Amino acid sequence: ILNGYDDYYAYHKYKPHLNYDAHFGWQMTDAIKSSIVIRNLFNTEYISRPGMMLAPRTISYQFIAKF
C-alpha cells in the first residue's frame, strides 16, 4: 500500500468528484484533420478504486493527412 494512502482514502472515501475531459477537432481541408484531447482538464487528484491513483492531466495531439 502507498505511504499515506489510509489517510487519503479515509478523507476522500465518500466525497464525489467530477472529472472533465475535452476534445477539440478541426477539419482544415478534405485531406487534413487535426485534434486535441485533454483528459482530466482541471488536473484533479482522484482514485477510481482503493490503491489506484489515476494519472494527472494528459494532453494528446493528433494530425491526419491523406495523400
Side-chain angles (χ1 to χ4, degrees):
I1 293 181
L2 301 171
N3 187 22
Y5 172 76
D6 292 333
D7 295 332
Y8 181 90
Y9 186 69
Y11 180 74
H12 292 90
K13 187 174 183 178
Y14 298 109
K15 292 187 176 187
H17 70 276
L18 293 174
N19 189 17
Y20 294 95
D21 298 334
H23 185 176
F24 304 98
W26 299 273
Q27 185 77 37
M28 297 174 197
T29 67
D30 288 338
I32 299 174
K33 183 171 120 176
S34 177
S35 64
I36 296 174
V37 176
I38 304 170
R39 295 183 182 226
N40 196 3
L41 186 63
F42 299 113
N43 205 25
T44 306
E45 184 179 87
Y46 65 101
I47 56 175
S48 67
R49 63 178 189 245
M52 185 174 182
M53 299 291 291
L54 294 177
R57 179 186 313 128
T58 56
I59 301 172
S60 302
Y61 177 73
Q62 183 179 44
F63 181 81
I64 298 173
K66 296 180 185 177
F67 295 98

